[in-house]
């Protein structure tokens, strides 16, 4: 059975009644959102979650522990083979007998402490709650049945920013636990108290000062929620949200079925499009931009791999009950969360792979595996070069898995695709190039793998002249030069051009290699004219499965010097900002290889 960290969790909100009235609470509204769930309805929902394959139900509210039937709900979940967790303000744990019963029932607890002093904590919770919460922490941490995972959450506001270090020191006596520091989610009661919020940059400065000066204590780890990678260094390691804790569903009182968790109402700024960490980022809360309209974020520019590496773990028999409601699937056989596992059908066996890569979040893996299905088997060979996909096998999700209601809590089973997706992709690239016309510029031409298409277009009169530029232009390019074909060793950011405007600009798997995308787009606009065509193809982020033979150092090294992992639609957003339109878009999908295509014209 999974431990509390890796259990497939569902959050069950029992209602909104609470014995605190926290001034930042995202769940509290006036008037209340609706009545609490009846006991019978709460039991029915636990049944639904158990039947869907969830291993843990985490009760939240409001405040779940003030319900008279709280332990009945816990017992019902346990009787169905589920573990229990709760998100609580901890006040009921003040009562020793109650705390002992909770410790016996719970494997996972999130408690709240928002001040190191009684005055601050009580001011934020709206009640005289500090002494009860602190006593509750004492009771639960000293219990012989202490939960296997304890988290204490501090919501960072303007009122408690000066007590962050003191709160952390206070928690040392309750180790082991995770101290989670969260930005307030701007909805509910928070919207009536926006003056409590620190600006994103102020909050980041408080956190950095805290990290620089904190005393490292045994058994106390730290996580953060609500920050963006550009604000928080070591984001991948310290980000700590519902996805990190393997919450795969949220069941709200007003909904008739569980839903996928999300990051709330967040948006991206223009600068975010250039950020190398955008694929890891949920964006910034939109309400923060209303409170702090001058918010500016600096994009992080660094190398990032466009692939997620999964390594071989083990081989197990093919499930006899595969595709039936009772099917347990491969996700239950590994100790990591389901999106970090992949099972591949190999005869009458399943080969299991998993990843521990920190540079990919749960939501992105969900998208790669189950929406675009960009999963590839590489065997033992490290792919490289323009034609590296030809040494990879495309995998697709089993149809039975795709139709299964339990896919949310499962790794899924994949099998080798019968379609020649790479051959189709290469032919499409050749077709796109054949449509080049007039004065043509190729950015990042490399060793010009499709020079025959270029020469044919020149011979037919479609291309008047062709110039290929690349900062790492190989010597072999010189031999390809001709009267109308030439090359220059430079980047697009440094490119100087005084000749006639170009009619066509091509980026053939070089878009992600451009370091300063904003500057590159400005240069492209300056050397083209209205009506000029822009054609881009690049690789979507994808999963590569390896059967072994690579050491840890090699696994940590990004495969290519990419500076972003845009989808076709990310590229469209960037182009729109620079005056392009009339788009033709083909994104990566289960039926295609990893390439996406965008054609556009300057307006």
């Amino acid at each position: 059975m999974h431990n509390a960290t890796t259990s497939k969790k569902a959050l069950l909100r029992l209602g909104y009644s609470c014995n605190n009235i926290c001034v930042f609470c995202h769940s509290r509204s006036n008037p209340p959102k609706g009545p609490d769930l009846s006991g019978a309805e709460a039991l029915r929902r636990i049944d639904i979650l158990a039947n869907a394959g969830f291993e843990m139900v985490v009760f939240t509210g409001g405040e779940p522990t003030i319900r008279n039937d709280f332990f009945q709900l816990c017992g019902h979940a346990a009787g169905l083979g589920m573990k229990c967790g709760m998100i609580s303000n901890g006040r009921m744990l003040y009562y020793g007998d109650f705390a002992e019963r909770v410790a016996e029932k719970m494997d996972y607890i999130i408690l709240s402490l928002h001040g190191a002093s009684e005055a601050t904590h009580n001011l934020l919770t709206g009640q005289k709650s500090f002494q009860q919460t602190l006593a509750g922490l004492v009771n639960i941490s000293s219990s012989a049945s202490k939960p296997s995972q304890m988290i204490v959450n501090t919501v960072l506001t303007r009122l408690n920013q000066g007590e962050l270090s003191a709160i952390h020191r206070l928690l040392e006596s309750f180790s082991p636990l995770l101290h989670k520091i969260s930005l307030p989610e701007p909805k509910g009661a928070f919207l009536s108290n926006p003056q409590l919020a620190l600006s994103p940059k102020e909050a980041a400065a408080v956190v950095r000062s805290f990290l620089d000066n904190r005393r490292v204590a045994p058994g106390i780890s730290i996580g953060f929620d609500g920050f963006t990678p550009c604000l928080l260094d070591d984001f991948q390691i310290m980000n700590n949200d519902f996805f990190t804790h393997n919450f795969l569903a949220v069941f709200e009182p007003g909904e008739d079925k569980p839903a996928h968790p999300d990051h709330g109402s967040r948006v991206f700024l223009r600068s975010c499009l250039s950020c190398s960490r955008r694929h890891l980022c949920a964006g910034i809360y939109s309400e923060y931009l209303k409170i702090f309209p001058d918010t500016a974020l600096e994009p992080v520019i660094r190398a990032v791999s466009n692939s997620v590496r999964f390594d071989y773990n083990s081989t197990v028999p093919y499930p006899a009950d595969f595709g039936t409601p009772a099917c347990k699937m491969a996700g239950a056989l590994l100790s990591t969360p389901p999106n970090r596992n992949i099972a591949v059908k190999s005869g009458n066996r399943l080969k299991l792979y998993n990843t521990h890569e920190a540079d990919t979040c749960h939501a992105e893996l969900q998208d790669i595996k189950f929406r675009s299905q960009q999963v590839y088997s590489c065997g033992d060979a490290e792919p490289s070069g323009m034609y590296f996909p030809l040494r990879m096998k495309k995998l697709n999700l089993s149809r039975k898995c795709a139709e299964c209601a339990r896919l949310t809590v499962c790794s899924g089973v994949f099998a080798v695709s019968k379609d020649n997706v790479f051959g189709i992709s290469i032919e499409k690239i050749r077709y796109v190039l054949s449509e080049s016309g007039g004065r043509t510029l190729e950015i990042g031409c490399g060793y010009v793998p499709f020079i025959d298409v270029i020469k044919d277009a020149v011979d037919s009169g479609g291309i008047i002249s062709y110039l290929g530029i690349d900062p790492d232009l190989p010597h072999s390019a010189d031999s390809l030069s001709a009267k109308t074909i030439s090359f220059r060793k430079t980047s697009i950011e440094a490119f100087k051009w005084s000749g006639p405007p170009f009619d066509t600009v091509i980026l053939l798997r070089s878009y992600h290699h451009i370091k300063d995308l904003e500057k590159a787009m400005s240069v492209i606009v300056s050397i083209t004219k209205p009506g000029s065509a822009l054609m881009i193809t690049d690789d979507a982020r994808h999963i590569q499965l390896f059967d072994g033979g690579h050491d840890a150092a090699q696994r940590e090294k990004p495969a290519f010097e990419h500076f972003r992992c845009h989808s076709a639609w990310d590229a469209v957003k960037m182009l729109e900002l620079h005056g392009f339109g009339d788009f033709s878009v083909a994104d990566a999908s289960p039926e295609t290889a990893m390439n996406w295509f965008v054609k556009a014209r300057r307006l």
Side-chain angles (χ1 to χ4, degrees):
M1 188 71 167
H2 291 302
N3 62 32
T5 305
T6 60
S7 291
K8 300 160 189 173
K9 300 180 183 69
L11 186 76
L12 177 57
R13 193 179 302 280
L14 299 172
Y16 302 98
S17 298
C18 189
N19 51 354
N20 278 349
I21 47 175
C22 296
V23 294
F24 52 74
C25 179
H26 68 271
S27 297
R28 185 168 65 85
S29 60
N30 191 17
K33 295 179 182 178
D36 292 352
L37 298 180
S38 67
E41 177 60 17
L43 293 171
R44 188 183 76 85
R45 292 181 176 223
I46 293 171
D47 289 341
I48 290 172
L49 296 173
N51 290 333
F54 290 97
E55 298 169 334
M56 178 184 288
V57 56
V58 178
F59 300 109
T60 188
E63 174 53 46
T65 62
I66 63 175
R67 290 180 62 107
N68 292 330
D69 62 354
F70 179 66
F71 290 113
Q72 180 188 350
L73 300 180
C74 296
H76 185 70
L80 296 171
M82 300 177 75
K83 293 184 176 183
C84 292
M86 71 177 192
I87 300 176
S88 169
N89 59 38
R91 291 182 64 185
M92 288 294 292
L93 301 179
Y94 166 81
Y95 304 99
D97 291 345
F98 190 94
E100 191 59 42
R101 291 184 71 187
V102 166
E104 292 172 357
K105 299 287 186 184
M106 297 293 148
D107 286 281
Y108 175 90
I109 292 183
I110 299 180
L111 301 177
S112 300
L113 186 66
H114 305 300
S117 67
E118 188 167 5
T120 301
H121 181 85
N122 291 351
L123 187 60
L124 287 168
T125 63
Q127 296 284 5
K128 294 180 179 179
S129 59
F130 181 74
Q131 293 299 337
Q132 285 187 328
T133 296
L134 203 59
L137 272 167
V138 171
N139 287 339
I140 200 72
S141 63
S142 60
S143 170
S145 306
K146 183 177 179 179
S148 58
Q149 189 168 21
M150 278 272 296
I151 301 104
V152 175
N153 184 46
T154 299
V155 175
L156 182 62
T157 70
R158 200 166 287 280
L159 295 180
N160 63 0
Q161 60 174 318
E163 295 185 17
L164 199 55
S165 294
I167 295 171
H168 191 70
R169 288 195 296 272
L170 186 61
L171 294 177
E172 289 178 7
S173 57
F174 306 122
S175 67
L177 58 77
L178 165 70
H179 185 197
K180 179 176 176 178
I181 299 163
S182 306
L183 291 182
E185 186 173 357
K187 63 180 186 179
F190 174 88
L191 296 180
S192 300
N193 301 285
Q195 72 281 0
L196 295 175
L198 294 162
S199 74
K201 288 196 172 180
E202 287 175 323
V206 170
V207 163
R208 288 200 185 97
S209 176
F210 161 66
L211 290 174
D212 288 343
N213 296 292
R214 78 181 178 97
R215 181 177 65 202
V216 178
I220 301 287
S221 56
I222 299 175
F224 298 95
D225 190 6
F227 291 83
T228 55
C230 58
L231 294 174
L232 184 62
D233 297 333
D234 294 326
F235 175 84
Q236 308 94 292
I237 300 170
M238 307 192 82
N239 182 51
N240 198 278
D241 55 24
F242 268 15
F243 297 101
T244 313
H245 288 246
N246 208 23
F247 279 91
L248 305 178
V250 176
F251 210 162
E252 296 285 358
E255 303 294 333
D256 59 1
K257 60 182 180 180
H260 290 297
D262 59 37
H263 290 284
S265 299
R266 305 199 199 189
V267 295
F268 293 97
L269 304 183
R270 175 171 179 153
S271 58
C272 300
L273 272 174
S274 300
C275 185
S276 301
R277 291 293 182 262
R278 188 177 185 277
H279 66 289
L280 284 171
C281 183
I284 189 169
Y285 288 118
S286 56
E287 285 293 328
Y288 279 8
L289 298 182
K290 297 177 183 177
I291 302 169
F292 306 105
D294 296 330
T295 296
L297 301 177
E298 293 295 326
V300 177
I301 307 298
R302 62 180 68 168
V304 59
S305 175
N306 71 340
S307 64
V308 187
R309 183 187 179 106
F310 279 63
D311 285 288
Y312 173 74
N313 180 282
S314 57
T315 300
V316 298
Y318 193 69
D321 57 357
F322 175 66
T324 72
C327 175
K328 297 187 183 304
M329 301 301 294
L333 301 174
L334 295 174
S335 60
T336 51
N339 274 344
R340 297 193 172 272
N341 308 330
I342 283 182
V344 177
K345 190 175 186 302
S346 179
N348 62 352
R349 310 281 286 176
L350 285 179
K351 295 178 70 174
L352 306 181
Y353 299 80
N354 64 345
T355 184
H356 298 284
E357 181 180 312
D359 226 11
T360 311
C361 64
H362 171 97
E364 187 183 16
L365 284 174
Q366 180 93 359
D367 185 76
I368 295 172
K369 286 177 62 176
F370 300 138
R371 185 194 65 81
S372 64
Q373 294 183 32
Q374 292 302 311
V375 181
Y376 299 87
S377 174
C378 300
D380 286 323
E382 195 77 48
S384 61
M386 175 63 74
Y387 290 102
F388 77 83
L390 297 180
R391 293 189 287 277
M392 299 162 62
K393 295 178 181 178
K394 172 80 186 294
L395 304 176
N396 283 117
L397 183 67
S398 159
R399 179 168 297 184
K400 288 183 179 180
C401 289
E403 297 170 350
C404 180
R406 298 165 70 100
L407 185 60
T408 303
V409 296
C410 186
S411 65
V413 168
F414 288 74
V416 176
S417 171
K418 297 178 182 178
D419 298 326
N420 181 19
V421 293
F422 295 120
I424 295 170
S425 175
I426 289 172
E427 286 307 309
K428 186 160 186 177
I429 292 173
R430 296 176 70 87
Y431 175 75
V432 167
L433 287 174
S434 71
E435 290 190 309
S436 304
R439 295 179 178 85
T440 298
L441 172 71
E442 183 176 357
I443 298 169
C445 61
Y447 59 92
V448 202
F450 299 102
I451 188 63
D452 59 317
V453 182
I454 299 297
K455 287 181 176 179
D456 287 346
V458 169
D459 293 341
S460 66
I463 292 181
I464 298 173
S465 64
Y466 166 91
L467 172 62
I469 65 171
D470 195 308
D472 300 309
L473 194 69
H475 294 298
S476 58
D478 293 337
S479 62
L480 304 174
S481 300
K483 184 176 181 181
T484 55
I485 298 176
S486 58
F487 300 92
R488 186 181 299 182
K489 191 169 185 175
T490 184
S491 67
I492 183 61
E493 298 98 318
F495 183 54
K496 306 294 183 183
W497 182 250
S498 57
F502 289 98
D503 303 294
T504 303
V505 176
I506 303 166
L507 289 93
L508 174 57
R509 294 181 65 202
S510 58
Y511 174 86
H512 288 156
H513 291 249
I514 295 172
K515 189 170 186 178
D516 190 337
L517 194 54
E518 282 282 354
K519 185 172 183 179
M521 292 306 305
S522 297
V523 172
I524 290 171
V525 169
S526 72
I527 60 176
T528 55
K529 59 187 178 182
S532 296
L534 178 62
M535 298 188 288
I536 306 174
T537 179
D538 219 311
D539 294 341
R541 205 143 198 262
H542 57 282
I543 290 170
Q544 293 182 3
L545 308 180
F546 290 91
D547 288 328
H550 300 278
D551 59 28
Q554 196 169 7
R555 287 199 297 270
E556 294 296 322
K557 182 182 177 183
F560 305 99
E561 290 296 310
H562 291 175
F563 292 105
R564 69 199 55 82
C565 295
H566 277 187
S567 68
W569 296 106
D570 291 326
V572 166
K573 291 175 187 175
M574 176 60 77
L575 296 177
E576 285 178 330
L577 291 172
H578 289 272
F580 286 84
D582 191 19
F583 293 103
S584 175
V585 182
D587 208 353
S589 74
E591 294 76 32
T592 72
M594 63 192 72
N595 302 96
W596 52 258
F597 297 84
V598 172
K599 291 175 62 179
R601 291 195 177 275
R602 258 197 69 193
L603 302 179

